[in-house]
Amino acid sequence: MLYRTAGQFKTSYKKDQALFPVRQDATLLALILGLAWIVFPFMASEFAFQTLLIPVLVYSLAALGLNILTGFAGQLSLGTGAFMGVGAYACYKMITIFPEMNLIVAVLLSGFFSSIVGVAFGLPSLRIKGFYLAIATLAAQFFLVWMFEKVGWLYNYSNTGAIQVPNIDMFGVAVAGPLASSVTKYYFVLFIVTVVTVVMINLTRGTQGRIWKATRDMDIAAELIGINLLKSKLTAFAVSSYVVGVSGALFVFLWRGAAEPNLFDISLSFRVLFIAIIGGLGSIMGNFLGAILIVALPVVLNILPELFGIEIASATVEHLNIMIIGSLIIFFLIIEPHGLARLWALIREKLIIWPFPH
Amino acid sequence: MNKFVKIAAATAIAMSGATAVMAQDEGLYIPNLSYRTGPFASTGIPLMNGQRDYVAMLNARDGGLNGVHLEFDECETGYSTEKGVECYEATKDQAIVTQPWSTGITLQVLPRTNVDEIPILAPGYGFSAMGDGSVFQWGFNMPSSYWDGASMILNEISGGDLSSLAGQKIAFLHLDHPYGKEPLPFLEAMAEANGFELLPIPVGLSEMQNQASQWLQIRRERPDYVVMWGWGAMNAGAISEAVKTGYPMDQFVGVWWSGHDADLAAVGADGTGYRSISWSAPQPDAPVMAAVREHVFEAGNSLASEEELNSVFYQRGLVISMILTEGIAAAQDHFGSATIDAAQLRWGLENVNITDERLAELGMSGMVAPFATSCSDHTGHSGGWMLRWDGDSFEVDSDHLSPDSETIRALEVSAAAEYAAANAPWPTASCE
């Protein structure tokens, strides 16, 4: 009923290839965007901004970047955390060297630095595949984090070896640093995430996306139909690392406010990889669903006992939390190995033919 | 719509919940960002137990503090900075203090406390520069900072005369993390001034349990002393490695977080002679211990085990809570009201005055050295003692040691000014 497509006729190729061939999809997206842009900012408390909204967006963006590489182009990477770090440190250096720089420009530029690093570490992908490539990107992970620790220039030789976000103004409004309000930070992140997501949706639907998918599905066949694998794989690394780098800059500048090198440790890479896998490889929406499950759900579970007035020690809640999230991950992967995005796609299909299943 | 409804519902719950959460009816809400899970849990648990039990004892014995109930609560971080910030955000509306319990979390929360106006209490950890109270108005790290600790260690091993260290080699084995790097500026300054060679040996977070390469380097370089800034699994790793390589234990000195009974119990008599500087000392016979036993432990309200009660860390936990409650009491006294808010507690923590008489009243004589804080001095620089492992437990092994306050003060002021400049606009207060 809700998803009845009867009466929605496509009378031209253009209409058939539209971003939303089914009208309800567009309505749903408009609703979500409305929530994100208008409703949440008015409803949310400081706590919700800092622990739910902003982190979900930042992690979604990081997973989106990884998904371009792993889900669309089929190249497994374990270096996401370090590439995020490159973005964050690049942004930090630019902001400290040119304090007048517009933060949006700095964030978008910092992606290019991680893009360059990503391409450099992507070079072996031409010769090695699968798990072997994962090991090569793992090298990037360790090397880059080691560099964040050792190269004093990167953290301006501060005593602690950590980077600290200064107060940054944009048009007279504090957008980053301790003085910035959470709403401003949220809108900043939301703006960047929306723009990048729209670009990525269109990129993956177009020629470039098809080239990546062909490379992913069978690289020899792709080569035979005239795809330049070198270009295909390296563009995937470049675009993916760019998005990951931007998310890294947002991660530190608009959310954490400070970062020590081990923040970009392998556990961060795994976290982003889990989001991408559980959300659904090869999908855009999956990243957001995955981030909600991995990032937001534990926070919600943590506050539930207090909400219902149940007295449990905080450490016990944490243990329970780990168990619940773990079993949920297994549960979702059993009922739909292709991730939450695929689960939603199935539900949607069922809704379209409901109440007359085949 | 299923998924969407679920998401919307979850978000709605979270948001409405976030404001309702921690709704405390009365009493003073003092949360602790604890870590009873994760890689550092073994060292965290006794400390958290000590903190918890002291407050529980006050509540049970005196009905709180000056008649007002102390609402002690824990928020589990697992030592993760991400969870720490989550806890800070969750508790800050009601809390009169935040106890971050990790240098990483302190780093993230410190700039925000200025805006949120909530005092941050980091006894014996956090930034050493927090001692400059005119810059770090909301930060407190009494009774001793890491620079104090480094200074006391140097004073003790040089026998009070730093110039006697000239020509010697001191290896500085530290966790490669903001915490481990903290004393480096001080040690470097001292090495330059006194002509000894400083050999920093970092231990990465991933190699804490396997320090073979670091100890190979120590064996090759043959330093006269090894000074350790370790935490969690790193301590046990270093101590067992030192035993294995046969490094003389009496030349091996750790900071106060490297003096955990359980780490040394693992090597037992082989660890005899290992020393750890400490601003607190265990006093099993102190009257406060009897009170804790009577009102909390024997009442079955403690999470601690019998053998834990006399450990260094558990008793340090008691001292930490005592510092906080003394700050609260000072504020209550000054503002003439039993219930105080965060800003009033800030005043209280700035005016803590712990004297020998006061310690005797509290039944804590000898558990911490007397100290006093002021507007410009948020550390107090209590000094401390050297604790020595005798194969079975830690015993006080020195007279009261004092840090080189003058050198440290100069460093504090310059580091604080640097921090304020990097985070401009940073509000500073003028003391006096």
Side-chain angles (χ1 to χ4, degrees), chain B residues 354-379:
Chain B
I354 299 197
T355 56
D356 276 324
E357 295 76 50
R358 183 67 190 142
L359 281 173
E361 275 171 46
L362 293 164
M364 297 181 102
S365 292
M367 286 176 75
V368 65
F371 69 93
T373 53
S374 67
C375 169
S376 61
D377 179 6
H378 281 194
T379 302

Side-chain angles (χ1 to χ4, degrees), chain B residues 128-186:
Chain B
S128 302
M130 271 158 69
D132 186 351
S134 61
V135 173
F136 294 98
Q137 294 175 61
W138 297 86
F140 296 88
N141 64 344
M142 63 271 212
S144 272
S145 72
Y146 287 135
W147 291 345
D148 286 356
S151 171
M152 288 187 272
I153 290 177
L154 290 183
N155 284 345
E156 171 71 5
I157 60 181
S158 66
D161 176 20
L162 285 181
S163 60
S164 70
L165 290 174
Q168 292 197 337
K169 196 189 278 182
I170 297 179
F172 177 56
L173 187 72
H174 63 283
L175 193 64
D176 206 355
H177 196 255
Y179 151 67
K181 289 180 179 176
E182 188 62 28
L184 263 176
F186 176 79

Side-chain angles (χ1 to χ4, degrees), chain A residues 2-3 28 31-32 35 40 43-48 50-53 55 59 142 148-150 155 157-167 178-179 182 185 251 255-263 265 268 271 289 292 295 297-300 302-304 306-308 313-315 318-319 321-322 332 340 343-344 347 351, chain B residues 1-4 6-8 10-24 29 34 36-38 73-78 80-83 85-87 89-93 103-105 107-108 110-112 115-116 127 147 176-179 181-182 184-185 202 204-206 303 415 418-419 422-426:
Chain A
L2 289 168
Y3 249 94
L28 187 54
L31 233 141
I32 294 176
L35 274 180
F40 287 169
M43 276 174 62
S45 62
E46 184 91 340
F47 175 77
Q50 287 296 328
T51 64
L52 294 169
L53 297 174
Y59 274 110
F142 288 124
F148 302 150
E149 266 170 20
K150 294 297 165 204
Y155 50 86
Y157 305 98
S158 78
N159 284 341
T160 49
I163 56 176
Q164 193 106 34
V165 177
N167 286 306
L179 291 183
S182 295
K185 289 186 191 170
F251 182 72
W255 180 35
R256 304 301 288 266
E260 65 258 23
N262 71 302
L263 195 61
D265 222 359
L268 181 62
R271 198 152 191 226
L289 299 181
I292 289 170
V295 180
L297 193 60
V299 179
V300 176
N302 260 341
I303 57 175
L304 278 186
E306 301 217 27
L307 214 58
F308 296 116
S314 182
E318 191 61 32
H319 286 300
N321 208 334
I322 292 169
F332 278 122
L340 295 173
L343 194 65
W344 163 244
I347 292 171
L351 280 175
Chain B
M1 293 290 259
N2 278 6
K3 183 102 283 164
F4 173 67
K6 260 192 232 159
I7 296 163
T11 326
I13 290 173
M15 284 181 187
S16 54
T19 41
V21 88
M22 311 292 180
Q24 305 298 330
Y29 183 48
S34 63
R36 293 173 182 273
T37 62
D73 191 18
E74 288 183 353
C75 186
E76 178 65 26
T77 68
S80 126
T81 44
E82 193 169 322
K83 284 255 178 338
V85 174
E86 185 188 318
C87 282
E89 292 292 341
T91 55
K92 76 175 182 194
D93 287 343
T103 307
I105 300 175
L107 203 72
Q108 307 229 338
L110 190 55
R112 298 193 199 179
V115 183
D116 297 331
F127 288 147
W147 291 345
D176 206 355
H177 196 255
Y179 151 67
K181 289 180 179 176
E182 188 62 28
L184 263 176
L205 278 174
S206 52
L303 297 172
E418 211 174 281
Y419 183 95
N423 288 282
W426 182 272

Side-chain angles (χ1 to χ4, degrees), chain B residues 115-127:
Chain B
V115 183
D116 297 331
E117 308 214 315
I118 177 163
I120 179 170
L121 180 62
Y125 57 95
F127 288 147

Side-chain angles (χ1 to χ4, degrees), chain A residues 136-285:
Chain A
T137 52
L138 195 61
Q141 171 70 51
F142 288 124
F143 171 73
L144 291 169
V145 171
W146 172 84
M147 219 171 74
F148 302 150
E149 266 170 20
K150 294 297 165 204
V151 183
W153 179 78
L154 285 176
Y155 50 86
N156 288 350
Y157 305 98
S158 78
N159 284 341
T160 49
I163 56 176
Q164 193 106 34
V165 177
N167 286 306
I168 302 166
D169 282 4
M170 234 170 70
F171 315 115
V173 182
V175 285
L179 291 183
S181 75
S182 295
V183 190
T184 329
K185 289 186 191 170
Y186 172 71
Y187 271 119
F188 190 102
V189 175
L190 188 62
F191 170 72
I192 301 244
V193 172
T194 313
V195 169
V196 174
T197 311
V198 170
V199 173
M200 287 305 133
I201 289 175
N202 285 299
L203 197 64
T204 49
R205 269 161 46 90
T207 320
Q208 192 59 51
R210 281 150 206 265
I211 289 175
W212 287 336
K213 286 177 196 163
T215 317
R216 169 191 71 191
D217 290 340
M218 196 175 184
D219 54 354
I220 294 179
E223 213 171 1
L224 283 173
I225 57 168
I227 289 171
N228 184 341
L229 285 188
L230 172 74
K231 255 171 78 181
S232 162
K233 286 180 177 175
L234 288 190
T235 45
F237 265 101
V239 173
S240 156
S241 310
Y242 178 82
V243 177
V244 169
V246 168
S247 79
L250 294 179
F251 182 72
V252 173
F253 274 71
L254 277 307
W255 180 35
R256 304 301 288 266
E260 65 258 23
N262 71 302
L263 195 61
F264 304 106
D265 222 359
I266 186 134
S267 54
L268 181 62
S269 298
F270 279 131
R271 198 152 191 226
V272 175
L273 187 63
F274 290 159
I275 293 173
I277 290 177
I278 288 155
L281 288 174
S283 96
I284 302 277
M285 184 181 63

Side-chain angles (χ1 to χ4, degrees), chain B residues 22-88:
Chain B
M22 311 292 180
Q24 305 298 330
D25 18 314
E26 54 201 281
L28 296 172
Y29 183 48
I30 41 175
N32 192 22
L33 309 194
S34 63
Y35 49 98
R36 293 173 182 273
T37 62
F40 300 95
S42 67
T43 35
I45 289 169
L47 285 162
M48 315 294 153
N49 283 343
Q51 281 179 285
R52 186 179 174 277
D53 288 357
Y54 185 78
V55 176
M57 186 273 287
L58 288 185
N59 279 335
R61 189 186 65 184
D62 312 335
L65 202 59
N66 292 333
V68 63
H69 184 71
L70 296 170
E71 200 82 49
F72 187 80
D73 191 18
E74 288 183 353
C75 186
E76 178 65 26
T77 68
Y79 209 68
S80 126
T81 44
E82 193 169 322
K83 284 255 178 338
V85 174
E86 185 188 318
C87 282
Y88 172 72

